[in-house]
Amino acid sequence: MSHPRWLRLREEMNREGIELLALVPGANLFYVTGLSLHRMERPIVALFPWDSDPVLILPAFEIEKAQQAPIPWRLFPYTDEEGPARAFQAAAEAVGRRGCPIAVETLGMRVLEWSMLAHVFSSPEPIAAEPLLARLRMVKDPNEIAAMRRAVAVAEEALRIWLPQVHRGMTEREATRRLIQACFAAGADALAFEPIVVAGPNTALPHATPSDRPIGTGELLLVDFGVVVEGYVSDLTRTFAVGELDPELRWIYERVQEANAAGRAAVRPGIPAEAVDRAARSVIEAAGYGAHFPHRTGHGLGLEVHEPPYIVAGNTELLQPGMTFTIEPGIYLPGKGGVRIEDDVVVTESGAESLTTFPRELMGLGG
């Protein structure tokens, strides 16, 4: 049996000299404990001291769920009638360490939880827990990669179900609705994020929102979506042609396709993450479109859609086997159209494997 993740967490805390770490419901708590709890107006906080068993402050109706996790919790429940203040106080007395700094999820913890912790522990400014948690989560184990393979397979099957349904004159919103239905028909547990299905000038906006605009002929159609399977996500983008394209749009498609291939080919253990960004970006810059590629080449993928490592200039983190991330270069021409081709890759012992295999060649949908 592998070493429990909560014990690995404690080892990392000892290595860094972090005496106390606090987690709230979300991907990090699920990763460490296997416990999936809802974030709501009732605060839930898990406390991990570096030298004793974890503590969990939670609403009383969540006790049974918490006890199912294979963690030697000390539970401090509270009812709606009494509120959480007394449970926080009792938990702090059990943990001790009054006045010590607390490491927290700066991207996840709300003022609600922090103000209560700071009060009962008389704690100074919090420490960012993200670097420590990223080191635990960045390298995926075989079970995690297997779940991501299934999430990719479901997304690609959804795309195959959906494509024959899309046609000129259909609105972006209707096409999105049908894609969502296809995702669940293909076996998704949930959507990884709100899908982006846009056409024509809207494809020039990297994070466009589907509208009631009909899909027209001679336009690009961009689809960016992902699904969740067993807690792990996929994230896939493909761009299609609706009818005959303007020569420049076809030209930028080919450049993005080349940039995507260059990025995937660059991946191998031991190189900095920024080298992958450079490989993809240099193709687009050489074509004269560098100013039209405004975002990073990729982001880590796992329990969350965006997590370390980030494939961006300035990130010198060395790639390791088991890291998973996207490669998604794009070119966006305002008022005209944009192209993005996104794949999910895993670093192997000798290079990289693309978990996504859906064709990258320009496909036409008629028009």
Side-chain angles (χ1 to χ4, degrees):
M1 183 176 173
S2 61
H3 206 30
R5 287 172 175 170
W6 71 273
L7 288 177
R8 281 176 45 216
L9 171 67
R10 207 159 75 179
E11 289 171 359
E12 285 294 320
M13 289 171 61
N14 271 282
R15 193 171 291 123
E16 292 202 11
I18 293 174
E19 295 184 43
L20 183 61
L21 179 140
L23 297 179
V24 293
N28 289 314
L29 183 61
F30 177 77
Y31 180 84
V32 172
T33 68
L35 188 59
S36 181
L37 292 167
H38 294 291
R39 187 174 306 199
M40 51 186 162
E41 74 281 4
R42 304 175 181 95
I44 297 174
V45 178
L47 295 168
F48 295 85
W50 69 350
D51 58 356
S52 57
D53 288 342
V55 162
L56 184 62
I57 304 163
L58 75 170
F61 61 78
E62 296 281 26
I63 289 175
E64 187 176 348
K65 184 187 276 190
Q67 289 172 334
Q68 293 171 2
I71 307 290
W73 295 117
R74 291 174 287 169
L75 300 180
F76 292 86
Y78 61 88
T79 65
D80 285 349
E81 289 74 22
E82 65 188 353
R86 187 175 297 176
F88 271 81
Q89 187 65 50
E93 289 168 5
V95 170
R97 310 210 171 280
R98 188 175 176 85
C100 87
I102 304 173
V104 306
E105 302 164 275
T106 60
L107 296 175
M109 182 170 282
R110 300 172 296 187
V111 173
L112 170 68
E113 291 92 1
W114 173 249
S115 61
M116 299 188 84
L117 287 176
H119 173 69
V120 297
F121 282 98
S122 299
S123 184
E125 286 294 302
I127 303 167
E130 276 81 5
L132 179 152
L133 295 164
R135 278 196 297 282
L136 286 175
R137 286 177 48 189
M138 263 196 294
V139 175
K140 272 55 177 185
D141 65 32
N143 290 333
E144 292 179 286
I145 293 170
M148 293 178 71
R149 282 187 197 282
R150 288 189 281 274
V152 166
V154 167
E156 295 191 331
E157 176 61 19
L159 204 48
R160 284 187 281 270
I161 293 170
W162 175 77
L163 278 170
Q165 303 178 36
V166 184
H167 54 77
R168 180 175 60 86
M170 178 180 284
T171 67
E172 294 170 347
R173 275 207 182 96
E174 173 63 13
T176 303
R177 186 179 67 80
R178 295 191 182 208
L179 178 61
I180 292 169
Q181 290 173 334
C183 287
F184 288 106
D189 295 339
L191 299 175
F193 53 92
E194 291 295 321
I196 299 171
V197 181
V198 290
N202 291 340
T203 59
L205 305 171
H207 280 175
T209 301
S211 71
D212 287 324
R213 182 187 181 280
I215 298 167
T217 192
E219 294 183 346
L220 292 167
L221 173 69
L222 186 148
V223 184
D224 184 346
F225 74 109
V227 304
V228 182
V229 174
E230 297 164 34
Y232 286 81
V233 305
S234 54
D235 186 2
L236 172 66
T237 305
R238 290 294 184 266
T239 307
F240 304 97
V242 183
E244 190 59 37
L245 289 182
D246 174 286
E248 187 179 23
L249 294 180
R250 185 173 288 275
W251 168 261
I252 65 168
Y253 187 97
E254 291 168 356
R255 302 296 76 75
V256 173
Q257 190 181 355
E258 289 173 9
N260 171 284
R264 286 184 289 111
V267 178
R268 65 181 185 277
I271 67 165
E274 68 176 358
V276 179
D277 178 86
R278 193 178 308 117
R281 194 170 302 277
S282 62
V283 173
I284 291 173
E285 288 176 345
Y289 287 88
H292 296 284
F293 179 14
H295 57 75
R296 63 195 172 203
T297 291
H299 53 81
L301 206 60
L303 288 170
E304 296 176 283
V305 177
H306 287 183
E307 61 181 54
Y310 294 102
I311 310 305
V312 64
N315 185 4
T316 57
E317 179 88 39
L318 299 182
L319 301 183
Q320 301 176 53
M323 286 182 171
T324 49
F325 49 85
T326 66
I327 293 179
E328 50 179 304
I331 296 175
Y332 310 91
L333 306 180
K336 190 165 187 177
V339 175
R340 184 165 64 253
I341 301 174
E342 177 182 24
D343 286 296
D344 304 342
V345 304
V346 56
V347 183
T348 64
E349 294 294 336
S350 59
E353 177 194 353
S354 181
L355 302 177
T356 40
T357 58
F358 197 91
R360 301 172 187 93
E361 293 73 33
L362 182 60
M363 295 173 61
L365 300 184

